[in-house]
Amino acid sequence: MSVEHDPRLQVGSLWIEPRVVIYATLIQMTAYALFDVPDMPIAFDGFTVLLWVAVVPMFALAVAHAFSEVLDLQIRLRRRMGWGDVLVILHSNVQFLYVSLIPIILLCLAWLIGLSQKDAVNIVLYLGVISLAGWGGYGARQAGLRAWPCVVFGAAYACLGALVVLLEIFIRH
């Protein structure tokens, strides 16, 4: 398999790898789906807990991937890692933390307008599904498909994302 072009997207000064963002989005959605959130207005304590749910899994994912990539490179290259190698790996894996920014913004807005914690989490989950639909459509478009197949791919990715979340909820209960 060969890669013909760089799949990353540039958003301002940030470079985003779709595979990282899609994977992190699924993990983020799973974390929120598994979190037992009360159906009460967001208070400061509830807000901070919901923020932790946004950040901690993404931080753990970033550290785990960086750790495995360092070991992988050391084994493949048969040498110690230099600072240049480490910086590339850190830059690549900080992208997992980008995914926590959207729920943080949504939770801030939900807190300001007085939504319940359950409603705020549902909004985060719905936006995650919409995001996966967008990535599915984007992937189809990059593959050269026309508009209708892009919509179908987007719907398929949204359904797969929702299925992952539903399976996690089912496993939890």
Side-chain angles (χ1 to χ4, degrees), residues 6-18 20-21 90-102 105 135 138:
D6 188 352
R8 298 178 302 164
L9 300 171
Q10 187 173 10
V11 179
S13 62
L14 301 176
W15 286 92
I16 298 172
E17 295 179 52
V20 170
V21 173
L90 287 175
H91 180 264
S92 175
N93 288 292
V94 77
Q95 294 177 69
F96 286 105
L97 294 172
Y98 297 165
V99 173
S100 64
L101 294 175
I102 299 299
I105 291 167
W135 283 111
Y138 175 75

Side-chain angles (χ1 to χ4, degrees), residues 22-139:
I22 293 164
Y23 177 57
T25 299
L26 285 166
I27 297 299
Q28 182 87 83
M29 291 170 64
T30 299
Y32 275 109
L34 292 176
F35 184 66
D36 192 18
V37 61
D39 193 12
M40 57 189 289
I42 300 175
F44 182 74
D45 290 346
F47 178 73
T48 56
V49 169
L50 291 173
L51 288 182
W52 281 110
V53 175
V55 175
V56 171
M58 296 302 97
F59 181 76
L61 210 51
V63 170
H65 276 264
F67 178 71
S68 68
E69 288 176 29
V70 165
L71 288 175
D72 178 60
L73 277 177
Q74 283 181 195
I75 291 166
R76 281 193 292 127
L77 299 176
R78 297 179 184 217
R79 65 172 174 80
R80 287 180 26 198
M81 301 296 293
W83 277 110
D85 301 319
V86 171
L87 289 175
V88 167
I89 290 171
L90 287 175
H91 180 264
S92 175
N93 288 292
V94 77
Q95 294 177 69
F96 286 105
L97 294 172
Y98 297 165
V99 173
S100 64
L101 294 175
I102 299 299
I104 288 171
I105 291 167
L106 290 173
L107 292 169
C108 287
L109 292 172
W111 187 23
L112 289 173
I113 64 174
L115 287 181
S116 73
Q117 292 182 43
K118 189 175 277 289
D119 288 341
V121 167
N122 285 337
I123 289 170
V124 169
L125 291 173
Y126 296 144
L127 189 64
V129 170
I130 291 167
S131 166
L132 294 173
W135 283 111
Y138 175 75

